[in-house]
């Protein structure tokens, strides 16, 4: 506010000084021209010419007096002086000056034919005067006319304009102060009461937040130009890292950016009937494909106070990561359910053993305990003792219980010491791949008669690789699915949210430099084989994935 007020004061002052200079120059020029006009009128007056040619001084002055008085009265001149060819005053506003010579050295030049406007101090004081010669019929100078206006009158006019300018300056200053108050209030309102230092700190905090979050954030204005984009957004759009998107138009960028531009530019549709008019509609979970990855886009419009849409801000999430996390949560939930059912089951068995002992049926109690131990030994996978990680063993325990509840016989084979470790090996990913394949296999045999539902699981370690094999005796894989088996969204199910399990298996295998092969099983069904090399340097260059007939 102070800066704007000072600016208004300085600008108004400079303009006022310029205005005063122009007014002063204009007044001097205008009054000088007026004095010269009056002098020229008198110089060509025939009565004055005749009077200056008279030899009778009394008659001369009488005739000049008759000619000058009306002109002086009508022109408003402060004084008029008329002298003869000898520069003796023949008429003057002060009668005492009549008959005395004019002492101005410029008068000789006037008689030589040079009319002039001068500012000088004469017998009457400082004045602005115009002088011109009076000529006879032969063109000879016979006298001089001087018409003047006192400087006090000129300065009074200048002061009048100056006072007006000062009032104008004061008014402009008041308007400037009021305007600066309104501007400061509006700016503070637009900036939510933040000071510039706070805005700078918030900017740096926003940049740090955008770079730290795992989701991609991108914002565009109404013209489709990017106004904000964090590094995650650049990565999820498949663009080279370090690409500067600010100011770029999405529709002109390569790859998935054009698809995103269509999504962000689409009209918003509010599906909720309970949404209030002042609430912002949010469009969520729209999918675009980026380099064989599915990116989920959620967007919200940016609107001004009048409700006009100014742009869009969107968050980008990798659906593959979301599905991986959902799968891990599902597996953990399944495992917890298995543990809960086992707890309930074994609690009942402990009550049974306790009852037999209390009834002193010791032989029956021993037989029951022996039978349960043998059954547990047969069901418990060998991986629980041989694997360096318990995730596969836990997975098999849960899947066996799940298969038993569905009337499916799950055969499992674990072979190898699993003593070799490799930087490429990731047991959580191995468990996730095995869980996906076992789920698909159990779904593949779910429509078969209960007595024929079978699934085989095999985990084998050799010196070169670890192999996971899952087979089923289902109906096999349809022809239209075979070629796009590992493409996201490809599924025989019609419900939403399917078709990502095998895509995740393929991606996990790639992360560990492994391969996945699919075979038709003799007698019907499908075999999935995953091979993870333990020595990455000795890995072959064979293509990963594929469909092979046995």
């Amino acid at each position: 506010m102070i800066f704007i007020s000072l600016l208004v004061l300085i600008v108004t002052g400079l303009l006022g000084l310029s205005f005063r200079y122009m007014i002063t120059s204009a007044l001097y020029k205008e009054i000088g021209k007026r004095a010269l006009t009056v002098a020229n009128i008198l110089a060509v007056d025939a009565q004055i010419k005749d009077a200056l040619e008279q030899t009778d001084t009394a008659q001369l002055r009488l005739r000049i007096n008759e000619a000058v008085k009306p002109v002086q009265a009508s022109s408003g001149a402060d004084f008029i002086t008329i002298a003869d060819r000898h520069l003796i005053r023949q008429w003057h506003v002060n009668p005492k000056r009549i008959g005395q010579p004019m002492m101005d050295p410029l008068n000789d030049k006037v008689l030589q034919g040079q009319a002039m406007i001068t500012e000088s101090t004469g017998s009457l004081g400082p004045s602005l005067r115009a002088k011109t010669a009076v000529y006879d019929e032969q063109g000879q100078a016979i006298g001089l006319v001087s018409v003047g206006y006192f400087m006090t009158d000129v300065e009074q006019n200048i002061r009048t304009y100056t006072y007006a300018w000062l009032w104008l300056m004061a008014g402009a200053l008041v308007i400037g102060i009021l305007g600066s108050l309104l501007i400061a209030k509006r700016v503070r309102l637009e900036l939510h009461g933040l000071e510039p230092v706070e805005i700078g700190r918030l900017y740096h905090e926003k940049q740090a937040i955008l770079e730290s979050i795992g989701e991609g954030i991108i914002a565009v204005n109404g013209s489709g130009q990017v106004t904000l984009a964090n590094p995650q957004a650049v990565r999820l759009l498949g663009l080279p890292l370090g690409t500067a998107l600010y100011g770029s138009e999405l529709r002109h960028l390569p790859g998935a950016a054009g698809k995103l531009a269509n999504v962000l530019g689409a009209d918003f549709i509010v599906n909720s009937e309970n949404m209030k008019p002042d609430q912002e509609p949010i469009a969520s979970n729209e999918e675009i494909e980026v380099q064989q990855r599915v990116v989920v886009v959620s967007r919200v419009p940016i609107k001004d106070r009048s409700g006009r849409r100014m742009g869009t801000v969107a968050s980008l999430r990798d659906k593959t990561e979301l599905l991986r996390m959902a799968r891990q949560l599902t597996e953990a939930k399944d495992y917890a359910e298995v543990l809960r059912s086992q707890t309930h089951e074994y609690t009942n068995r402990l009550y049974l053993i306790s009852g037999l002992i209390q009834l002193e049926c010791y032989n029956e109690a021993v037989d029951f305990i022996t039978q349960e131990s043998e059954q547990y030994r047969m069901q418990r996978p060998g991986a629980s003792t041989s694997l360096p990680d318990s995730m596969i063993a836990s997975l098999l325990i849960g899947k066996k219980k799940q298969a038993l509840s569905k009337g499916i016989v799950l055969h499992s084979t674990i072979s190898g010491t699993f003593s070799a470790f490799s930087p490429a090996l990731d047991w959580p990913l191995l468990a996730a791949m095995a869980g996906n394949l076992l789920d698909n296999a159990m779904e593949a045999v779910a429509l078969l008669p209960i007595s024929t539902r079978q699934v085989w699981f095999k985990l084998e370690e050799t010196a070169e690789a670890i192999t996971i094999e899952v087979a089923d005796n289902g109906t096999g894989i349809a022809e239209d699915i075979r070629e796009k088996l590992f493409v996201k969204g490809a599924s025989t199910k019609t419900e939403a949210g399917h078709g990502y399990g095998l895509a995740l298996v393929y991606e996990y295998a790639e992360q560990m430099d492994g391969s996945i092969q699919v075979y038709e099983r003799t007698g019907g069904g499908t075999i999935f084989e995953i091979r993870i090399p333990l020595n990455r340097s000795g890995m072959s260059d064979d293509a990963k994935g594929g469909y092979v007939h046995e």
Side-chain angles (χ1 to χ4, degrees), residues 85-132:
R85 69 185 67 199
H86 303 294
L87 297 179
I88 300 299
R89 295 187 182 95
Q90 301 299 330
W91 199 92
H92 197 275
V93 291
N94 185 359
K96 295 179 180 181
R97 300 291 183 180
I98 297 175
Q100 297 181 0
M102 298 179 68
M103 306 304 296
D104 193 342
L106 297 176
N107 291 333
D108 293 333
K109 294 183 178 181
V110 175
L111 291 178
Q112 294 174 6
Q114 185 177 347
M116 60 181 62
I117 299 173
T118 62
E119 179 184 350
S120 60
T121 302
S123 60
L124 298 176
S127 62
L128 185 65
R129 61 191 66 186
K131 296 181 179 182
T132 186

Side-chain angles (χ1 to χ4, degrees), residues 306-376:
S306 62
R308 183 174 58 89
R309 181 176 168 186
M310 301 170 58
T312 306
V313 62
S315 64
L316 312 178
R317 291 168 293 169
D318 190 343
K319 189 171 185 178
T320 305
E321 293 297 323
L322 295 176
L323 292 172
R324 181 180 66 81
M325 294 175 63
R327 177 68 67 177
Q328 290 177 348
L329 290 174
T330 301
E331 291 171 356
K333 182 179 179 181
D334 292 342
Y335 187 53
E337 289 293 335
V338 170
L339 293 178
R340 188 178 294 109
S341 63
Q342 284 183 342
T343 300
H344 182 73
E345 179 181 354
Y346 283 106
T347 298
N348 292 333
R349 292 175 182 178
L350 286 175
Y351 284 137
L352 176 60
I353 294 172
S354 175
L356 291 173
I357 292 175
Q358 291 179 23
L359 294 173
E360 298 182 357
C361 300
Y362 303 115
N363 292 330
E364 288 83 351
V366 171
D367 290 341
F368 182 74
I369 294 173
T370 302
Q371 179 183 355
E372 288 297 317
S373 298
E374 182 64 21
Q375 184 177 359
Y376 173 73

Side-chain angles (χ1 to χ4, degrees), residues 125-290:
S127 62
L128 185 65
R129 61 191 66 186
K131 296 181 179 182
T132 186
V134 180
Y135 301 96
D136 59 11
E137 297 297 332
Q138 288 76 32
Q140 298 295 320
I142 59 174
L144 180 145
V145 178
S146 176
V147 178
Y149 292 87
F150 293 136
M151 292 299 298
T152 54
D153 297 336
V154 177
E155 291 173 356
Q156 180 61 38
N157 290 333
I158 293 174
R159 280 194 296 271
T160 302
Y161 286 112
T162 301
Y163 292 149
W165 159 71
L166 289 175
W167 281 109
L168 178 63
M169 180 178 175
L173 185 60
V174 171
I175 293 174
I177 292 175
L178 294 177
S180 63
L181 285 172
L182 292 175
I183 292 173
K185 183 178 179 181
R186 177 62 182 272
V187 170
R188 183 176 291 274
L189 180 64
E190 293 291 339
L191 299 179
H192 304 284
L194 298 175
E195 296 295 337
V197 175
E198 296 174 312
I199 296 172
R201 186 178 68 250
L202 286 177
Y203 172 78
H204 292 295
E205 290 176 357
K206 183 204 71 173
Q207 292 298 112
I209 291 172
L210 290 177
E211 293 180 5
S212 65
I213 61 178
E215 294 184 357
I217 302 295
I218 188 168
V220 297
N221 58 20
S223 302
Q225 293 180 331
V226 178
T227 57
L228 180 147
N230 65 348
Q232 288 294 334
V234 176
R235 181 183 66 83
L236 291 176
L237 288 177
L239 299 173
L241 294 179
T243 303
L245 295 182
Y246 182 81
S248 304
E249 293 191 20
L250 280 180
R251 60 178 178 271
H252 293 159
L253 294 174
K259 300 178 183 178
L260 181 62
N262 295 333
V263 173
L264 297 185
D267 293 333
F268 283 81
I269 301 176
V270 184
N271 296 321
S272 176
E273 297 179 354
N274 299 324
M275 181 171 287
K276 298 179 181 179
D278 59 342
Q279 291 179 329
E280 296 289 349
I282 298 177
S284 59
N285 300 331
E286 300 184 41
E287 298 180 359
I288 60 174
E289 186 174 347
V290 183

